[in-house]
């Protein structure tokens, strides 16, 4: 018998193609009359289309979302919320826009509808990372969980091939770490393995043909499940390292996850033999190597130095991996952690698992 705790997060999920047309009904269902549409600057045109679709139920657009949810941007958006008298937010975009919606909800309790257009998975988690004075802090609160999530595969078709690959591997990282989380449980295992398989099959097809709608749909479905994994259980060494590397050297989020994941998994492999066996069944090969090859197949940069990390960062990141102790299936061993960061820095093939 395997006793466990499972915490499900309430959220209404709508999945399909053309589902954005259901947004006005969802806004009405929540009893909202003036929602502010959020986006990043490059997705402003998409946000304007959504505002037009909402007609009188739109309070306008705030297209100032940026990566890592700076509090200064949240304050600007809050001023617009107040000025327009918005009674809810619609976030269209990736984790950066979702983060802004969550930051607004944390401070105002306004309902959120999220329309994800990457595979980051933030829409399924009660987690919010915010940046203030160059420091990123993360908190977990049910207040930031969106009320409704609308997955519309059509809105992911424009995600550039390169970012589709790294964003998909970022999602896989949530599911991989969920399999060996301290709170791992059979429900999350089901989602994790299903998601890893779906994304692993989809990404090479998207790399070959970004217009492959079936592959896009598989990737988005997998990303949803990966977000559920991230929201339900704690993460370990891989996420800790990526958080540190991204924050310390200003490295891009999904790309950093892509470069680190095979090495973090190889590090933990000796402590998680049954997880490695199940991953082997899903990936069809040695898991760390399969993820390294997947990154190659989608044309991703596999070396952290290629993302802009300086060589002295290997020692800095090693030190920081030991700050604020956290759970990891394999105890942290300084030389081995340094070796894994050094391999990721150089983009070498991971140690065999
Ligand atoms: P992102 O949201 O920054 O998007 C990257 C770029 O792609 C942006 O310029 C965006 O406008 C553009 N883009 C997004 N979708 C597009 C589309 N369909 N077509 C064309 N362009 C598109 O990147 P991300 O990787 O989705 O999110 C990263 C952020 O999310 C980080 O700050 C990370 O910390 C956070 N995050 C948080 C959680 C959580 O649970 N709190 C989970 C995952 C990620």
């Amino acid at each position: 018998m395997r006793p466990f705790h499972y915490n499900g997060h309430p959220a209404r999920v709508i999945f399909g193609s053309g589902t954005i047309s259901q947004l006005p009904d969802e806004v009405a269902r929540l009893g909202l009359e003036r929602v502010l549409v959020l986006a990043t600057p490059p997705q402003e045109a998409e946000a304007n289309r959504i505002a037009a679709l909402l007609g009188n139920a739109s309070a306008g657009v705030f297209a100032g979302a940026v990566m890592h949810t700076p509090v200064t941007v949240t304050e600007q958006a809050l001023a617009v919320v107040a000025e327009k008298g918005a009674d809810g937010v619609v976030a269209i975009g990736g984790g950066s826009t979702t983060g802004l919606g969550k930051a607004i909800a944390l401070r105002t309790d306004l309902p959120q509808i999220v329309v994800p257009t990457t595979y980051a998975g933030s829409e399924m988690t009660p987690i919010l990372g915010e940046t203030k004075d160059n420091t990123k802090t993360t908190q977990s609160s049910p207040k930031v969980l969106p009320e409704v999530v609308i997955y519309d595969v059509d809105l992911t078709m424009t995600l550039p091939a390169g970012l589709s690959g790294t964003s998909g591997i970022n999602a896989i990282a949530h599911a991989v770490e969920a399999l060996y989380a301290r709170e791992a449980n059979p429900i999350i295992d089901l989602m994790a393995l299903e998601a890893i398989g779906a994304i692993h099959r989809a990404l090479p097809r998207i790399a070959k043909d970004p217009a492959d709608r079936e592959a896009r749909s598989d990737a988005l479905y997998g990303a949803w499940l990966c977000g559920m994994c991230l929201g339900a259980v704690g993460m370990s060494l891989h996420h800790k390292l990526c958080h540190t590397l991204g924050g310390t050297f200003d490295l891009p989020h999904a790309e950093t996850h892509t470069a680190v994941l095979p090495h973090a998994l190889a590090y933990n492999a000796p402590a998680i033999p049954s997880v490695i066996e199940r991953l082997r069944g899903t990936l069809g090969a040695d898991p760390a190597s399969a993820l390294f090859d997947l990154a190659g197949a989608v044309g991703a940069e596999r070396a952290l130095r290629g993302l802009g990390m300086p060589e002295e960062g290997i020692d800095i990141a090693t030190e920081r991996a030991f700050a604020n102790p956290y759970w990891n299936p394999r105890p942290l061993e300084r030389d081995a952690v340094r070796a894994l960061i050094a391999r990721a820095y150089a983009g070498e093939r991971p140690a065999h698992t």
Side-chain angles (χ1 to χ4, degrees):
M1 194 182 98
R2 183 182 171 195
F4 61 88
H5 291 193
Y6 170 72
N7 295 306
H9 297 301
R12 177 172 158 83
V13 171
I14 296 167
F15 189 100
S17 164
T19 45
I20 193 66
S21 64
Q22 298 175 40
L23 178 63
D25 288 346
E26 292 301 318
V27 168
R29 233 186 106 260
L30 291 173
L32 304 177
E33 293 175 346
R34 284 182 66 74
V35 294
L36 184 66
V37 182
L38 309 173
T40 57
Q43 288 182 286
E44 184 166 7
E46 198 65 68
N48 285 333
R49 273 193 287 279
I50 284 180
L53 173 70
L54 288 169
N56 289 339
S58 163
V61 168
F62 177 86
V66 293
M67 187 92 78
H68 305 312
T69 326
V71 170
T72 46
V73 172
T74 301
E75 283 163 357
Q76 289 164 23
L78 284 169
V80 178
V81 165
E83 180 202 326
K84 308 261 186 201
D87 58 4
V89 293
V90 174
I92 157 108
S96 298
T97 309
T98 306
L100 176 60
K102 286 172 157 183
I104 293 171
L106 180 73
R107 291 161 174 84
T108 60
D109 256 338
L110 289 186
Q112 308 166 67
I113 300 177
V114 180
V115 186
T117 63
T118 71
Y119 309 131
S122 173
E123 66 282 359
M124 282 295 138
T125 82
I127 306 160
L128 171 64
E130 296 186 285
T131 316
K132 191 174 184 190
D133 302 329
N134 288 330
T135 306
K136 188 164 179 177
T137 49
T138 301
Q139 61 181 298
S140 182
S141 164
K143 279 172 89 170
V144 307
L145 274 169
E147 276 67 11
V148 179
V149 178
I150 300 179
Y151 290 103
D152 187 338
V153 71
D154 299 359
L155 300 178
T156 66
M157 302 303 290
T158 50
L159 190 63
L163 185 53
S164 301
T166 53
S167 189
I169 296 174
N170 176 202
I172 288 179
H174 309 329
V176 165
E177 290 231 291
L179 288 170
Y180 54 71
R182 183 168 39 189
E183 309 85 353
N185 64 70
I187 313 302
I188 291 299
D189 287 2
L190 285 174
M191 293 183 196
L193 291 170
E194 167 82 358
I196 293 166
I199 299 178
H200 182 242
R201 286 188 299 274
L203 294 188
R205 286 152 59 209
I206 294 173
K208 275 203 199 86
D209 176 12
D212 183 335
R213 194 172 297 269
E214 277 306 311
R216 291 278 188 190
S217 170
D218 288 348
L220 191 59
Y221 164 70
W224 163 34
L225 296 177
C226 289
M228 302 263 281
C229 294
L230 177 66
V233 298
M235 298 286 113
S236 304
L237 177 65
H238 169 77
H239 279 75
K240 169 78 174 181
L241 283 178
C242 291
H243 185 90
T244 301
L245 289 164
T248 310
F249 307 112
D250 197 24
L251 305 184
H253 178 82
E255 290 86 342
T256 304
H257 274 267
T258 301
V260 172
L261 181 62
H263 305 281
L265 180 59
Y267 176 91
N268 277 327
I272 49 165
S274 74
V275 169
I276 293 295
E277 267 325 294
R278 280 181 287 161
L279 281 173
R280 199 187 301 276
T282 301
L283 296 172
D286 172 64
S289 293
L291 294 172
F292 185 78
D293 291 339
L294 178 62
V298 302
E301 173 60 69
R302 292 185 286 193
L304 289 172
R305 74 172 157 214
L307 298 177
M309 175 178 154
E311 191 166 5
E312 58 271 26
I314 298 172
D315 286 317
I316 297 171
T318 305
E319 283 315 305
R320 298 207 173 153
F322 286 81
N324 306 324
Y326 51 95
W327 191 83
N328 192 60
R330 176 178 166 189
L332 297 191
E333 297 161 24
R334 194 167 298 269
D335 289 350
V337 168
R338 190 187 186 285
L340 102 75
I341 298 170
R343 287 182 107 105
Y345 171 78
E348 289 167 14
R349 184 159 275 281
H352 194 74
T353 52

